[in-house]
Amino acid sequence: MLKKLIKISYVLMASFLGLLMVAYLLFSSFAFQTYLTGRITSYVNEKFHTRISVGELSYDGWSYFSLRQVMFGDQKQDTLFYAGRLQFNLAGIAIDSTTFRLNHVVLDEGLCKILTYKDSTFSIDAMFAFTEGDTTPSVPGPPFRLELKNLEVMDTRFVMIDS
């Protein structure tokens, strides 16, 4: 009877380790990462009425994530923010209903383009959904705040164009 229990416990332990290995291989596959990236960006775009796209998602170990070709659009369908590579530490993430905090963020090959349109609106208005003292959104935008801690910026341009 004891030998049977030991054999069953070995089988259960091996099955559990096998499932962990399959999950690790699944998460590290490019096809699954592409699928997951598409689902997450579709959800965020629908929920917050934004235009965000991510070209590629990869991770190094279990804590560092790298996003490639990240684009955040404004309300006029123009590019507001672009990053060739955006890397962050997931161990420092804190998510509540209104704030996303990311630690040890590396921004590389970036472009932040602030435009003033002829109708006196700014491209950056997409990032600020509420005006001072107002409780209704002035323009469609994300009702959350993104905080970046320990930000390292490399090869990035900031451009302001007044139409």
Side-chain angles (χ1 to χ4, degrees):
M1 180 73 163
L2 183 61
K3 286 183 180 184
K4 251 187 186 176
L5 285 174
I6 291 173
K7 204 183 259 191
I8 289 172
S9 66
Y10 282 148
V11 168
L12 287 175
M13 188 180 298
S15 299
F16 179 72
L17 290 174
L19 284 174
L20 282 178
M21 183 62 87
V22 167
Y24 177 78
L25 291 174
L26 178 68
F27 278 108
S28 63
S29 74
F30 182 74
F32 181 77
Q33 291 175 3
T34 303
Y35 169 77
L36 187 62
T37 302
R39 296 289 294 179
I40 290 171
T41 55
S42 295
Y43 173 77
V44 169
N45 288 338
E46 281 181 34
K47 180 154 178 79
F48 299 119
H49 307 291
T50 59
R51 193 171 63 96
I52 298 172
S53 67
V54 177
E56 181 181 323
L57 166 75
S58 62
Y59 71 95
D60 306 323
W62 289 101
S63 61
Y64 276 96
F65 280 79
S66 288
L67 304 175
R68 299 221 180 252
Q69 300 170 344
V70 177
M71 198 275 307
F72 184 79
D74 66 2
Q75 69 273 21
K76 305 280 187 179
Q77 304 304 315
D78 197 4
T79 300
L80 174 63
F81 174 79
Y82 174 82
R85 178 176 66 107
L86 184 65
Q87 185 177 13
F88 57 90
N89 184 350
L90 189 61
I93 194 168
I95 301 175
D96 64 14
S97 61
T98 59
T99 304
F100 294 94
R101 287 184 200 95
L102 303 175
N103 264 341
H104 305 290
V105 179
V106 176
L107 170 63
D108 193 13
E109 302 170 12
L111 170 67
C112 182
K113 186 166 59 171
I114 302 171
L115 298 170
T116 304
Y117 294 110
K118 292 180 182 179
D119 62 357
S120 299
T121 59
F122 292 92
S123 61
I124 202 160
D125 287 343
M127 298 185 83
F128 304 105
F130 298 96
T131 59
E132 190 174 322
D134 194 3
T135 58
T136 59
S138 57
V139 294
F144 61 85
R145 187 172 75 199
L146 179 64
E147 291 181 7
L148 307 174
K149 303 286 184 177
N150 302 324
L151 176 64
E152 180 181 348
V153 179
M154 301 179 295
D155 193 23
T156 299
R157 296 181 302 149
F158 294 88
V159 178
M160 183 166 184
I161 301 170
D162 188 5
S163 296

